[in-house]
Amino acid sequence: MRETSRMWTDKQRGIGVSQEELLCKNACGYYGNPAWQGFCSKCWRERARTAGASRQEIRPRNDGTLPTFSKFEEKKNIEKGRRINTMRRLFWGSPSPPKPQESAESHANVLKAYQSLEPGDFTGFLKVLRSPSSQRLQSRCTAFLNTMEAYHDLPVQKQSDLAQDFYQSFAEYFSSFPEAQVTQIMEHVEKLIMTRLHKWAFCHDSCDDEQKDLALQRRIRSLNWVTPQMLSVPFPDKKTSVTGDPFLPAITAIIEMDAKRAPQDKLACVSKCSQHVFEALSTSSSEPANADDFLSALVYVVLKANPPRLHSNMQYVIRFGLPHSLMAGESGYYFTNLSCAVAFIEKMDGPALNLSPEEFESFMLGQRAPSALNKSQQVARDTVHLLEELTGRQEKLDQGMDALNVGLQKWVQAVHSELDEATIRFDVVQKEITAQAEFSQVVSSSAQDASLQEDKEQSVRLFKDEHAGSKDTDC
């Protein structure tokens, strides 16, 4: 049985990586990366430059003797001067710095303009960079872009070194700023530079990224039989996931990485993917997901997505991304785990999946198909879950019907009670109205009789008065 690395496999969990194993082997406190043999980007570059200088130091001359110390110092000074002149030419367009020096007041105005930028305001950064007060910085960016495009045939590692040197030199202009503000400005600078250089620097002809992309895609395609259970992924059940695969948003996010051009935008897709992985894991358990669950789920997402040009995209971020984005913070943690996931996939064997070498080989040759058995088991589980759900719904429906019947009976009784009460009230009111009408009629009749009697008496009095008057006239 082939032995597997402790960093990549675990007999119980399938995949296990501790926090210490994610850190740089140089114990600097930053995140390491399998692409840098476990070192962080800073330590790896220093190590690579030291190794390159050592190889040049011990290179024998044509006569077979080693160079003397004075010759070595002379060569070292020449190389140092060449690097300085190269950077000056990239920044100012000539081997010597520009004669007009920036005044203290102008420098303060430029810093004030950059200091007022809002986080993530790339449009505002471009406006400040194109302002007259920031012409010196704009000239640096323009000269660097023009030089890199003119010398796009340089080896990609050389282009990477030049880009990293440019980032470092540009950041020194804002050395008086807090680290968070310098980081924010440099993210804008990286986006500006690499969006334009993407077509030259991505998947460069001087490296074998394209071949490794194809090899990784074939490897992932050959592992399409791997199931979440083999990776010990705590896959949510159908009761808690009604929308299909809960890792689908993470799969979509990692596929979108290839469409981005700036390293930080590609890194944002990795962070977004990882956050979706944690969200999917949270649906399967009330407890927060641990690092092993996350890495196992990330391996599953990569296998399901088979992202296009994954190796090239990761190398592009490593070569031309800002060092702090990969060495620390949330983005560095997520990218390091993605690198571990890819390395695990490339080295995956039977013990990593809790399979014997014979079983692993039969799956790779297509002689066994766990998907059929798993599919039938999944269908059976889905059917049981569906029946349980339907039973629960039926019970709730019956309870609702009983409650509705009880409520309806109470309502009918209440309506009948109110109707009886209204009928009684109506009878009482009707009797009162009838009595009042009869009383009014009696009062009206009495008043009419009294009025007639009064009219009659008045007529009699008038008659008597007229008769008495006629007698007096005759006399």
Side-chain angles (χ1 to χ4, degrees):
M1 180 181 297
R2 187 160 55 92
E3 294 183 357
T4 55
S5 173
R6 182 174 61 89
M7 181 175 180
W8 307 120
T9 63
D10 184 273
K11 196 66 179 177
Q12 299 299 325
R13 299 293 305 166
I15 308 174
V17 177
S18 65
Q19 181 69 19
E20 292 74 15
E21 291 172 323
L22 294 178
L23 297 178
C24 176
K25 290 168 59 176
N26 209 26
C28 64
Y30 295 114
Y31 286 117
N33 196 293
W36 299 317
Q37 298 180 8
F39 294 95
C40 68
S41 62
K42 181 180 179 181
C43 295
W44 172 253
R45 291 182 187 281
E46 292 178 355
R47 184 183 176 87
R49 288 175 180 175
T50 303
S54 300
R55 284 193 297 270
Q56 290 182 357
E57 291 174 19
I58 62 175
R59 184 176 299 170
R61 294 182 299 189
N62 293 334
D63 56 0
T65 62
L66 293 176
T68 63
F69 183 76
S70 58
K71 292 290 185 180
F72 166 70
E73 286 293 324
E74 180 181 356
K75 181 179 292 186
K76 184 177 180 180
N77 291 333
I78 294 175
E79 179 65 22
K80 182 178 180 181
R82 185 183 298 113
R83 285 182 61 86
I84 293 175
N85 289 334
T86 301
M87 295 309 300
R88 284 176 175 173
R89 183 174 62 256
L90 292 176
F91 292 155
W92 297 298
S94 63
S96 58
K99 294 182 180 180
Q101 295 295 325
E102 189 177 34
S103 65
E105 182 180 359
S106 176
H107 182 74
N109 291 335
V110 173
L111 294 182
K112 185 177 180 181
Y114 282 99
Q115 204 164 15
S116 62
L117 285 173
E118 295 291 333
D121 186 9
F122 183 67
T123 303
F125 166 78
L126 293 179
K127 290 181 180 179
V128 174
L129 184 65
R130 292 167 182 169
S131 63
S133 61
S134 189
Q135 184 176 3
R136 187 166 182 262
L137 294 178
Q138 183 182 5
S139 299
R140 285 189 178 191
C141 294
T142 302
F144 177 75
L145 286 171
N146 292 338
T147 304
M148 291 292 286
E149 289 184 351
Y151 293 96
H152 64 270
D153 290 333
L154 286 173
V156 67
Q157 190 56 49
K158 184 65 176 178
Q159 294 186 32
S160 173
D161 292 339
L162 292 176
Q164 297 299 330
D165 290 341
F166 174 78
Y167 293 153
Q168 183 177 358
S169 176
F170 201 98
E172 291 175 356
Y173 190 87
F174 305 95
S175 58
S176 62
F177 280 18
E179 184 179 354
Q181 285 189 326
V182 177
T183 299
Q184 171 189 329
I185 294 173
M186 292 310 301
E187 285 177 352
H188 294 321
V189 173
E190 180 221 84
K191 188 169 186 177
L192 171 66
I193 296 298
M194 296 315 303
T195 298
R196 181 167 165 180
L197 296 181
H198 176 269
K199 62 181 178 180
W200 304 114
F202 184 80
C203 198
H204 198 267
D205 293 338
S206 63
C207 58
D208 56 351
D209 287 349
E210 186 175 358
Q211 289 77 13
K212 290 185 177 180
D213 282 331
L214 295 175
L216 182 58
Q217 281 193 330
R218 287 193 296 267
R219 173 66 174 175
I220 294 176
R221 198 177 299 117
S222 68
L223 295 170
N224 61 356
W225 48 268
V226 177
T227 64
Q229 292 76 19
M230 292 179 178
L231 295 169
S232 299
V233 178
F235 207 88
D237 56 25
K238 294 296 181 178
K239 286 184 176 180
T240 57
S241 179
V242 296
T243 58
D245 192 340
F247 293 99
L248 184 59
I251 294 171
T252 303
I254 196 66
I255 291 176
E256 289 176 352
M257 180 171 62
D258 188 57
K260 307 299 181 180
R261 294 198 288 179
Q264 62 177 281
D265 292 337
K266 293 181 181 292
L267 205 56
C269 291
V270 176
S271 298
K272 184 179 178 181
C273 167
S274 301
Q275 291 165 3
H276 284 310
V277 169
F278 275 112
E279 291 174 2
L281 292 174
S282 66
T283 62
S284 63
S285 175
S286 58
E287 299 179 357
N290 56 39
D292 290 343
D293 292 339
F294 169 65
L295 184 56
S296 299
L298 192 58
V299 171
Y300 170 74
V301 167
V302 174
L303 290 176
K304 291 285 288 185
N306 198 357
R309 301 191 294 185
L310 179 58
H311 175 81
S312 293
N313 280 293
M314 294 177 63
Q315 290 299 314
Y316 179 75
V317 173
I318 289 173
R319 292 163 181 157
F320 299 101
L322 295 174
H324 74 270
S325 299
L326 302 178
M327 293 163 55
E330 190 177 68
S331 59
Y333 176 77
Y334 291 150
F335 188 81
T336 301
N337 274 274
L338 177 61
S339 301
C340 292
V342 173
F344 175 81
I345 290 173
E346 292 175 339
K347 300 178 181 180
M348 186 183 294
D349 57 4
L353 301 176
N354 295 324
L355 298 174
S356 66
E358 293 76 14
E359 289 175 330
F360 181 83
E361 189 67 22
S362 63
F363 284 132
M364 291 296 291
L365 296 175
Q367 298 174 355
R368 299 184 63 176
S371 58
L373 178 58
N374 290 331
K375 185 175 180 180
S376 62
Q377 293 176 347
Q378 187 66 37
V379 170
R381 286 195 295 267
D382 293 346
T383 304
V384 172
H385 292 159
L386 182 60
L387 290 176
E388 292 177 353
E389 184 179 355
L390 291 176
T391 302
R393 290 183 180 180
Q394 185 64 40
E395 291 176 355
K396 290 182 180 180
L397 182 61
D398 293 339
Q399 294 174 359
M401 289 294 295
D402 294 339
L404 182 61
N405 288 332
V406 172
L408 183 59
Q409 291 176 2
K410 291 181 179 180
W411 179 77
V412 171
Q413 292 175 358
V415 171
H416 287 169
S417 177
E418 292 179 2
L419 184 59
D420 295 340
E421 186 178 353
T423 302
I424 294 172
R425 290 178 183 176
F426 179 75
D427 293 339
V428 173
V429 171
Q430 189 174 21
K431 288 179 180 180
E432 291 177 355
I433 294 175
T434 302
Q436 190 175 10
E438 291 176 354
F439 176 75
S440 299
Q441 186 176 3
V442 170
V443 172
S444 176
S445 179
S446 300
Q448 186 176 7
D449 292 343
S451 178
L452 291 175
Q453 183 65 27
E454 186 180 354
D455 291 342
K456 184 177 180 181
E457 291 176 355
Q458 188 176 3
S459 298
V460 171
R461 284 196 299 269
L462 289 175
F463 177 75
K464 287 181 179 181
D465 291 341
E466 289 178 358
H467 184 65
S470 64
K471 285 182 178 183
D472 291 340
T473 301
D474 291 343
C475 292

